[in-house]
Amino acid sequence: MIRLPDPKPEVLARREEIVSALRRAVPGEGGVISEPLRLKPYETDGLSAYKQPPLAVALPASTEEVAAVLRVCHSMGVRVVPRGAGTSLSGGALPLEDGVVLGLMRMNRVLEVDFDDRLAVVEAGVTNLAITREVEGEGFFYAPDPSSQLACMIGGNVNMNSGGAHCLKYGVTANNLLGLKAVTIEGEVFEVGGRHLDAAGYDWLGLLTGSEGQLAVVTEVTVRILRGPEGARAMLAAFKSNEIAGQAVDAIIGSGIIPVALEFMDRPAIHACEAFAKAGYPLDAEAMLIIEVEGSVAEQDMLLGRIKDICERFDPISLKVAETAEQSLAIWKGRKGAFGAVGRISPDYLCMDGTIPTGELPHVLRRIGEMSAEYGLQVANIFHAGDGNLHPLIMFDANDPASFRKAEDFGADILKLCVEVGGCLTGEHGVGVEKRDLMNVQFTAGELGLQRAVKAAFDPGWLLNPAKVFPLEGNAALVSAPAAAPSRSAAA
Amino acid sequence: MSGASIAPASEEELAEAVAEAARSGQPLAVEGNGTKRAMLRPVQAARTLSTRNLTGITLYKPQELILSARAGTPLPEIEAALAERGQHLIAEPPEPGPLFGASEPATLGGVVATNLSGPRRINAGAMRDHVMGIRAVTGTGEVFRSGGRVLKNVTGLDLCKLLAGSHGTLGVMTEITLKVLPAPEASATVAVRVADLAGGVRALSAGLGAPYGVSGAALLPDGGGGAPLAILRIEDFAESVSYRAGRLRDELAGLGDASVVDDAEQSRDLWRRVRDAEPLDAEPSDAVWRVSVRPTAGPAVARAVRAAGLPRLMLDWGGGLVWIAGPPTAEAHAAVAAAARAEGGAFTLFRAPDSLRAAVPVLPEEPAPLAAIGRRVKAALDPAGVLNPGRMRAGA
């Protein structure tokens, strides 16, 4: 159960008037949705356990229309929930009963590609993968590659500072942006950055990235595009314990090699993926690494040879170095299908996203195993081992409310453990509604107060995505009374 | 900047000093070792608050690629600790000696607060990209943290980014956690002699668009004999460097006279000089500007400022960073600002005598909505306006 802000009665009462004003702001066909049945697709996002139909949905096709929608909402005191493809795993796009969902999916044009300056200017509703598709003919790519890259949109990536399996080498979204066009809650259009590096003045670009729709609505993004490597190849290394696999990771990085990807799977994850994908994973292993390197064939041989030598020192159960691109794909096949694989074992699962210092891995996996037994819920662990970003998949039965509540409690305990060992609540999925009420675990009241003050500097009336990131308690703009008996909550 | 200087020995004392300043309404010039005092505008404060006594590496986990140090730690101390474990600072920040005539080393806090990055910026990110966490003190003396000590973290608003590059106007950082990386085993430089700056940027673009991981791409207007020289750096394991440098030289051969500088010492020295803008040949009395534009616009900026009588310049970051030196006059400054504006880029008056930098906007104006937001952010973090007043903009 997650508490949502108290709906504003005066907004609910003026629904027809608001919808009419929105239709004037986005006059074309399909610009505004208000019929209850057609609102259904927007009532949830990638965190589908929570559902809440919005007041209305506005689908502007240009920055000017976005500004017009925001002017309407601002002048009428209406809350706004920005939305891209709705793939958020943290409920970042969960609507509000008295809020307008501002969908950017119609803004899907690639405006400019410039290979000499290595950049692309795209609208917020262009999908992550579409950027790479646009430039790969010339050997270029857009580096951040979240698992949802086929569907997720760049505007959402910017707001969540999305990562992916390859950010150990290429960085996250924040490291791959040059500029943004955005609109304030008052409906004023502004640009930060540009086509150049390191714009002078405060780093608004850095602050807006990962701000989860709290500060402004992003409508255009200038991304860096990179020339791809000559080639890439993967290897698989399986070990007798999580500890040993963790030591092998340390030894690889300690030797000065930064693989382009370094993925860790524990025993339940190996078994789930193997049953699903028949990738040839070793079922007798406790832990498995997928390690990918880049370069010419000779460079790949050199790096994989060194990594293999290092792994040999840790008594591996098996080492398999891909000789061809096809063999590489086979090694990745199981990992890439991990979510589907877990979905086959259990129709419902929560995907957690804490980050830990990599040295704490054995301890954290041991504790997760103990908690799994205590809660009576299965968990499979997939982990970006190089950067400490852990993805435990907690399996539960959504038809059983008690099971869902247990899964949520289990997830919260894992995230508290991440913070306790020096890590954080979220590495790449964002706080959203999912982890909002755990923010007090990571930050002091003073620290949250400062972040709220920065939010309020952009959005003094708390109209932009107000149910997310910050705990509601004590925020007079959002809730009237103490949270003793939640009057409103998203159905779970 | 004369007057009293406070250099607290602990974060707690520093927080108390700031709180006291806020109560009494007496502004502070915030600095580390003060090596970059001549950057941007002169601060309007009678007293100086230095982090120079907050020193020491507090956490270093080479396998986790993480290092934390107190803000006043001299950069050479951090670089030495990293070198001992075969690692380095990714963003390659310049040393303050050549540019600012400083005799003391820069501090970690100073380099992060100014977000200074060297040639490796082009493919490995800016100083701010590697700040994983901070501890800092607000303008009211409140201690806060943002980020943490892990490599991937999107928990809450990223106040690390807000403070990096804020020149001490939003908070005083007391401890910083950085991502670090293994130092490359080897490095080599491919040099291409070209006919003009536009040809040089074509060579840099071709190199950066090739699959060899170029980690430095600069253009020296006079690489000997009056002809510009484009230089591109490869850093990696020795086998990779020799292979890639050879391939890159072959691919760039059509764009000019291309050769490989494979003497490691010579290559390293060349990039150290680029990092510290030595090829700019700035006179001690010169003002120095940095203009950031899209790389292919670098030559147009160069043309415009040369036409305005500013002949000393060099290009880095693939052509997108134009260093310019010349007489510290308002006319010269206006020419640089106009050249940056014409190409949709940004300028920074990097170094100048007080008379000039107090009189002109040292950074581009912000659009009205951002300027208003900026004032509210400043008011949230430093309501009494005691941290480095006037540093970035007049009256702010």
Side-chain angles (χ1 to χ4, degrees), chain B residues 125-152:
Chain B
M127 201 66 210
R128 65 88 144 152
D129 286 297
H130 310 121
V131 176
M132 296 294 117
I134 56 170
R135 289 181 68 90
V137 174
T138 66
T140 56
E142 194 185 338
V143 176
F144 70 97
R145 305 159 303 157
S146 182
R149 53 144 302 190
V150 288
L151 297 183
K152 238 164 125 188

PDB file of all heavy atoms in Angstrom, chain B residues 125-152:
ATOM      1  N   GLY B 125      34.650  11.628 -19.734  1.00  0.00           N
ATOM      2  CA  GLY B 125      33.816  12.401 -18.828  1.00  0.00           C
ATOM      3  C   GLY B 125      34.571  13.515 -18.123  1.00  0.00           C
ATOM      4  O   GLY B 125      35.799  13.554 -18.093  1.00  0.00           O
ATOM      5  N   ALA B 126      33.773  14.434 -17.552  1.00  0.00           N
ATOM      6  CA  ALA B 126      34.313  15.583 -16.821  1.00  0.00           C
ATOM      7  C   ALA B 126      34.539  15.207 -15.370  1.00  0.00           C
ATOM      8  O   ALA B 126      34.089  14.170 -14.899  1.00  0.00           O
ATOM      9  CB  ALA B 126      33.333  16.756 -16.917  1.00  0.00           C
ATOM     10  N   MET B 127      35.213  16.087 -14.650  1.00  0.00           N
ATOM     11  CA  MET B 127      35.420  15.880 -13.217  1.00  0.00           C
ATOM     12  C   MET B 127      34.080  15.565 -12.542  1.00  0.00           C
ATOM     13  O   MET B 127      33.992  14.649 -11.731  1.00  0.00           O
ATOM     14  CB  MET B 127      36.025  17.173 -12.641  1.00  0.00           C
ATOM     15  CG  MET B 127      36.739  16.983 -11.335  1.00  0.00           C
ATOM     16  SD  MET B 127      38.233  15.969 -11.494  1.00  0.00           S
ATOM     17  CE  MET B 127      38.250  15.222  -9.876  1.00  0.00           C
ATOM     18  N   ARG B 128      33.032  16.306 -12.898  1.00  0.00           N
ATOM     19  CA  ARG B 128      31.733  16.124 -12.235  1.00  0.00           C
ATOM     20  C   ARG B 128      31.131  14.752 -12.505  1.00  0.00           C
ATOM     21  O   ARG B 128      30.342  14.250 -11.719  1.00  0.00           O
ATOM     22  CB  ARG B 128      30.758  17.234 -12.596  1.00  0.00           C
ATOM     23  CG  ARG B 128      30.316  17.321 -14.054  1.00  0.00           C
ATOM     24  CD  ARG B 128      29.108  16.467 -14.342  1.00  0.00           C
ATOM     25  NE  ARG B 128      28.201  17.062 -15.302  1.00  0.00           N
ATOM     26  CZ  ARG B 128      27.394  16.346 -16.107  1.00  0.00           C
ATOM     27  NH1 ARG B 128      27.422  15.026 -16.100  1.00  0.00           N
ATOM     28  NH2 ARG B 128      26.579  16.947 -16.914  1.00  0.00           N
ATOM     29  N   ASP B 129      31.518  14.140 -13.634  1.00  0.00           N
ATOM     30  CA  ASP B 129      30.972  12.820 -13.956  1.00  0.00           C
ATOM     31  C   ASP B 129      31.476  11.752 -12.992  1.00  0.00           C
ATOM     32  O   ASP B 129      30.885  10.679 -12.902  1.00  0.00           O
ATOM     33  CB  ASP B 129      31.352  12.426 -15.379  1.00  0.00           C
ATOM     34  CG  ASP B 129      30.551  13.198 -16.410  1.00  0.00           C
ATOM     35  OD1 ASP B 129      29.326  13.036 -16.421  1.00  0.00           O
ATOM     36  OD2 ASP B 129      31.147  13.970 -17.183  1.00  0.00           O
ATOM     37  N   HIS B 130      32.582  12.000 -12.330  1.00  0.00           N
ATOM     38  CA  HIS B 130      33.194  10.971 -11.482  1.00  0.00           C
ATOM     39  C   HIS B 130      33.009  11.245  -9.998  1.00  0.00           C
ATOM     40  O   HIS B 130      33.590  10.570  -9.166  1.00  0.00           O
ATOM     41  CB  HIS B 130      34.667  10.831 -11.845  1.00  0.00           C
ATOM     42  CG  HIS B 130      34.868  10.669 -13.321  1.00  0.00           C
ATOM     43  ND1 HIS B 130      35.618  11.534 -14.073  1.00  0.00           N
ATOM     44  CD2 HIS B 130      34.333   9.786 -14.179  1.00  0.00           C
ATOM     45  CE1 HIS B 130      35.548  11.170 -15.343  1.00  0.00           C
ATOM     46  NE2 HIS B 130      34.778  10.129 -15.437  1.00  0.00           N
ATOM     47  N   VAL B 131      32.219  12.284  -9.685  1.00  0.00           N
ATOM     48  CA  VAL B 131      31.921  12.560  -8.280  1.00  0.00           C
ATOM     49  C   VAL B 131      30.746  11.674  -7.881  1.00  0.00           C
ATOM     50  O   VAL B 131      29.626  11.869  -8.325  1.00  0.00           O
ATOM     51  CB  VAL B 131      31.571  14.056  -8.072  1.00  0.00           C
ATOM     52  CG1 VAL B 131      31.160  14.296  -6.623  1.00  0.00           C
ATOM     53  CG2 VAL B 131      32.768  14.922  -8.434  1.00  0.00           C
ATOM     54  N   MET B 132      31.014  10.681  -7.058  1.00  0.00           N
ATOM     55  CA  MET B 132      29.979   9.714  -6.675  1.00  0.00           C
ATOM     56  C   MET B 132      29.277  10.151  -5.393  1.00  0.00           C
ATOM     57  O   MET B 132      28.155   9.727  -5.119  1.00  0.00           O
ATOM     58  CB  MET B 132      30.613   8.339  -6.452  1.00  0.00           C
ATOM     59  CG  MET B 132      31.235   7.737  -7.694  1.00  0.00           C
ATOM     60  SD  MET B 132      29.991   7.354  -8.947  1.00  0.00           S
ATOM     61  CE  MET B 132      30.518   8.430 -10.268  1.00  0.00           C
ATOM     62  N   GLY B 133      29.947  10.962  -4.589  1.00  0.00           N
ATOM     63  CA  GLY B 133      29.318  11.393  -3.345  1.00  0.00           C
ATOM     64  C   GLY B 133      30.045  12.587  -2.753  1.00  0.00           C
ATOM     65  O   GLY B 133      31.227  12.812  -3.044  1.00  0.00           O
ATOM     66  N   ILE B 134      29.316  13.367  -1.969  1.00  0.00           N
ATOM     67  CA  ILE B 134      29.940  14.495  -1.270  1.00  0.00           C
ATOM     68  C   ILE B 134      29.378  14.596   0.148  1.00  0.00           C
ATOM     69  O   ILE B 134      28.274  14.148   0.439  1.00  0.00           O
ATOM     70  CB  ILE B 134      29.675  15.857  -1.969  1.00  0.00           C
ATOM     71  CG1 ILE B 134      28.165  16.111  -2.126  1.00  0.00           C
ATOM     72  CG2 ILE B 134      30.377  15.937  -3.304  1.00  0.00           C
ATOM     73  CD1 ILE B 134      27.821  17.517  -2.568  1.00  0.00           C
ATOM     74  N   ARG B 135      30.191  15.201   1.000  1.00  0.00           N
ATOM     75  CA  ARG B 135      29.706  15.798   2.249  1.00  0.00           C
ATOM     76  C   ARG B 135      29.949  17.289   2.089  1.00  0.00           C
ATOM     77  O   ARG B 135      30.992  17.705   1.575  1.00  0.00           O
ATOM     78  CB  ARG B 135      30.494  15.290   3.461  1.00  0.00           C
ATOM     79  CG  ARG B 135      30.229  13.842   3.837  1.00  0.00           C
ATOM     80  CD  ARG B 135      31.051  13.455   5.064  1.00  0.00           C
ATOM     81  NE  ARG B 135      30.613  14.150   6.255  1.00  0.00           N
ATOM     82  CZ  ARG B 135      29.667  13.683   7.092  1.00  0.00           C
ATOM     83  NH1 ARG B 135      29.104  12.517   6.859  1.00  0.00           N
ATOM     84  NH2 ARG B 135      29.311  14.361   8.157  1.00  0.00           N
ATOM     85  N   ALA B 136      29.006  18.099   2.517  1.00  0.00           N
ATOM     86  CA  ALA B 136      29.150  19.531   2.320  1.00  0.00           C
ATOM     87  C   ALA B 136      28.412  20.279   3.414  1.00  0.00           C
ATOM     88  O   ALA B 136      27.622  19.698   4.159  1.00  0.00           O
ATOM     89  CB  ALA B 136      28.619  19.931   0.942  1.00  0.00           C
ATOM     90  N   VAL B 137      28.700  21.575   3.482  1.00  0.00           N
ATOM     91  CA  VAL B 137      28.085  22.453   4.474  1.00  0.00           C
ATOM     92  C   VAL B 137      27.328  23.541   3.716  1.00  0.00           C
ATOM     93  O   VAL B 137      27.874  24.174   2.817  1.00  0.00           O
ATOM     94  CB  VAL B 137      29.175  23.071   5.375  1.00  0.00           C
ATOM     95  CG1 VAL B 137      28.568  24.109   6.313  1.00  0.00           C
ATOM     96  CG2 VAL B 137      29.905  21.986   6.159  1.00  0.00           C
ATOM     97  N   THR B 138      26.063  23.740   4.057  1.00  0.00           N
ATOM     98  CA  THR B 138      25.266  24.793   3.403  1.00  0.00           C
ATOM     99  C   THR B 138      25.677  26.170   3.929  1.00  0.00           C
ATOM    100  O   THR B 138      26.445  26.270   4.902  1.00  0.00           O
ATOM    101  CB  THR B 138      23.773  24.628   3.700  1.00  0.00           C
ATOM    102  OG1 THR B 138      23.581  24.862   5.110  1.00  0.00           O
ATOM    103  CG2 THR B 138      23.269  23.247   3.341  1.00  0.00           C
ATOM    104  N   GLY B 139      25.111  27.179   3.328  1.00  0.00           N
ATOM    105  CA  GLY B 139      25.374  28.549   3.753  1.00  0.00           C
ATOM    106  C   GLY B 139      24.825  28.896   5.121  1.00  0.00           C
ATOM    107  O   GLY B 139      25.077  29.985   5.640  1.00  0.00           O
ATOM    108  N   THR B 140      24.073  27.967   5.721  1.00  0.00           N
ATOM    109  CA  THR B 140      23.640  28.201   7.104  1.00  0.00           C
ATOM    110  C   THR B 140      24.409  27.322   8.085  1.00  0.00           C
ATOM    111  O   THR B 140      24.101  27.300   9.274  1.00  0.00           O
ATOM    112  CB  THR B 140      22.132  27.912   7.273  1.00  0.00           C
ATOM    113  OG1 THR B 140      21.876  26.573   6.843  1.00  0.00           O
ATOM    114  CG2 THR B 140      21.290  28.869   6.449  1.00  0.00           C
ATOM    115  N   GLY B 141      25.385  26.580   7.572  1.00  0.00           N
ATOM    116  CA  GLY B 141      26.198  25.752   8.462  1.00  0.00           C
ATOM    117  C   GLY B 141      25.648  24.371   8.707  1.00  0.00           C
ATOM    118  O   GLY B 141      26.050  23.686   9.641  1.00  0.00           O
ATOM    119  N   GLU B 142      24.724  23.944   7.847  1.00  0.00           N
ATOM    120  CA  GLU B 142      24.147  22.609   7.995  1.00  0.00           C
ATOM    121  C   GLU B 142      24.969  21.602   7.174  1.00  0.00           C
ATOM    122  O   GLU B 142      25.240  21.828   5.997  1.00  0.00           O
ATOM    123  CB  GLU B 142      22.702  22.646   7.482  1.00  0.00           C
ATOM    124  CG  GLU B 142      21.874  21.462   7.869  1.00  0.00           C
ATOM    125  CD  GLU B 142      20.482  21.505   7.210  1.00  0.00           C
ATOM    126  OE1 GLU B 142      20.037  22.599   6.818  1.00  0.00           O
ATOM    127  OE2 GLU B 142      19.885  20.437   7.081  1.00  0.00           O
ATOM    128  N   VAL B 143      25.357  20.489   7.814  1.00  0.00           N
ATOM    129  CA  VAL B 143      26.119  19.457   7.102  1.00  0.00           C
ATOM    130  C   VAL B 143      25.158  18.538   6.362  1.00  0.00           C
ATOM    131  O   VAL B 143      24.136  18.136   6.920  1.00  0.00           O
ATOM    132  CB  VAL B 143      26.964  18.626   8.095  1.00  0.00           C
ATOM    133  CG1 VAL B 143      27.692  17.488   7.371  1.00  0.00           C
ATOM    134  CG2 VAL B 143      27.969  19.510   8.819  1.00  0.00           C
ATOM    135  N   PHE B 144      25.461  18.232   5.099  1.00  0.00           N
ATOM    136  CA  PHE B 144      24.623  17.279   4.378  1.00  0.00           C
ATOM    137  C   PHE B 144      25.457  16.400   3.469  1.00  0.00           C
ATOM    138  O   PHE B 144      26.597  16.723   3.146  1.00  0.00           O
ATOM    139  CB  PHE B 144      23.529  17.999   3.566  1.00  0.00           C
ATOM    140  CG  PHE B 144      24.036  18.770   2.368  1.00  0.00           C
ATOM    141  CD1 PHE B 144      24.002  18.213   1.092  1.00  0.00           C
ATOM    142  CD2 PHE B 144      24.546  20.050   2.514  1.00  0.00           C
ATOM    143  CE1 PHE B 144      24.460  18.921  -0.019  1.00  0.00           C
ATOM    144  CE2 PHE B 144      25.007  20.771   1.416  1.00  0.00           C
ATOM    145  CZ  PHE B 144      24.961  20.213   0.145  1.00  0.00           C
ATOM    146  N   ARG B 145      24.852  15.263   3.079  1.00  0.00           N
ATOM    147  CA  ARG B 145      25.482  14.343   2.141  1.00  0.00           C
ATOM    148  C   ARG B 145      24.616  14.229   0.894  1.00  0.00           C
ATOM    149  O   ARG B 145      23.403  14.382   0.948  1.00  0.00           O
ATOM    150  CB  ARG B 145      25.614  12.934   2.742  1.00  0.00           C
ATOM    151  CG  ARG B 145      26.341  12.839   4.061  1.00  0.00           C
ATOM    152  CD  ARG B 145      25.951  11.538   4.774  1.00  0.00           C
ATOM    153  NE  ARG B 145      24.510  11.481   4.954  1.00  0.00           N
ATOM    154  CZ  ARG B 145      23.805  10.358   5.130  1.00  0.00           C
ATOM    155  NH1 ARG B 145      24.412   9.192   5.170  1.00  0.00           N
ATOM    156  NH2 ARG B 145      22.490  10.399   5.272  1.00  0.00           N
ATOM    157  N   SER B 146      25.270  13.946  -0.217  1.00  0.00           N
ATOM    158  CA  SER B 146      24.521  13.563  -1.410  1.00  0.00           C
ATOM    159  C   SER B 146      25.321  12.465  -2.092  1.00  0.00           C
ATOM    160  O   SER B 146      26.533  12.399  -1.952  1.00  0.00           O
ATOM    161  CB  SER B 146      24.335  14.765  -2.347  1.00  0.00           C
ATOM    162  OG  SER B 146      23.564  14.384  -3.478  1.00  0.00           O
ATOM    163  N   GLY B 147      24.624  11.587  -2.838  1.00  0.00           N
ATOM    164  CA  GLY B 147      25.322  10.464  -3.458  1.00  0.00           C
ATOM    165  C   GLY B 147      25.794   9.499  -2.391  1.00  0.00           C
ATOM    166  O   GLY B 147      25.136   9.320  -1.369  1.00  0.00           O
ATOM    167  N   GLY B 148      26.933   8.855  -2.604  1.00  0.00           N
ATOM    168  CA  GLY B 148      27.418   7.884  -1.643  1.00  0.00           C
ATOM    169  C   GLY B 148      28.793   7.392  -2.030  1.00  0.00           C
ATOM    170  O   GLY B 148      29.599   8.155  -2.566  1.00  0.00           O
ATOM    171  N   ARG B 149      29.040   6.120  -1.795  1.00  0.00           N
ATOM    172  CA  ARG B 149      30.351   5.555  -2.094  1.00  0.00           C
ATOM    173  C   ARG B 149      30.228   4.363  -3.031  1.00  0.00           C
ATOM    174  O   ARG B 149      30.998   3.429  -2.974  1.00  0.00           O
ATOM    175  CB  ARG B 149      31.083   5.181  -0.812  1.00  0.00           C
ATOM    176  CG  ARG B 149      30.296   4.297   0.114  1.00  0.00           C
ATOM    177  CD  ARG B 149      31.160   3.303   0.806  1.00  0.00           C
ATOM    178  NE  ARG B 149      31.867   2.470  -0.159  1.00  0.00           N
ATOM    179  CZ  ARG B 149      32.561   1.391   0.139  1.00  0.00           C
ATOM    180  NH1 ARG B 149      32.679   1.010   1.363  1.00  0.00           N
ATOM    181  NH2 ARG B 149      33.154   0.673  -0.786  1.00  0.00           N
ATOM    182  N   VAL B 150      29.196   4.374  -3.860  1.00  0.00           N
ATOM    183  CA  VAL B 150      29.037   3.319  -4.864  1.00  0.00           C
ATOM    184  C   VAL B 150      28.975   3.964  -6.250  1.00  0.00           C
ATOM    185  O   VAL B 150      28.743   5.157  -6.384  1.00  0.00           O
ATOM    186  CB  VAL B 150      27.767   2.470  -4.597  1.00  0.00           C
ATOM    187  CG1 VAL B 150      27.964   1.591  -3.378  1.00  0.00           C
ATOM    188  CG2 VAL B 150      26.542   3.345  -4.440  1.00  0.00           C
ATOM    189  N   LEU B 151      29.181   3.136  -7.275  1.00  0.00           N
ATOM    190  CA  LEU B 151      29.363   3.669  -8.626  1.00  0.00           C
ATOM    191  C   LEU B 151      28.059   3.997  -9.330  1.00  0.00           C
ATOM    192  O   LEU B 151      28.054   4.705 -10.326  1.00  0.00           O
ATOM    193  CB  LEU B 151      30.144   2.666  -9.484  1.00  0.00           C
ATOM    194  CG  LEU B 151      31.574   2.358  -9.025  1.00  0.00           C
ATOM    195  CD1 LEU B 151      32.241   1.410 -10.006  1.00  0.00           C
ATOM    196  CD2 LEU B 151      32.397   3.628  -8.899  1.00  0.00           C
ATOM    197  N   LYS B 152      26.946   3.448  -8.846  1.00  0.00           N
ATOM    198  CA  LYS B 152      25.692   3.689  -9.532  1.00  0.00           C
ATOM    199  C   LYS B 152      24.646   4.040  -8.504  1.00  0.00           C
ATOM    200  O   LYS B 152      24.373   3.247  -7.610  1.00  0.00           O
ATOM    201  CB  LYS B 152      25.269   2.413 -10.281  1.00  0.00           C
ATOM    202  CG  LYS B 152      25.099   2.609 -11.771  1.00  0.00           C
ATOM    203  CD  LYS B 152      25.082   1.282 -12.452  1.00  0.00           C
ATOM    204  CE  LYS B 152      23.855   1.099 -13.282  1.00  0.00           C
ATOM    205  NZ  LYS B 152      23.769  -0.283 -13.776  1.00  0.00           N
TER     206      LYS B 152
END
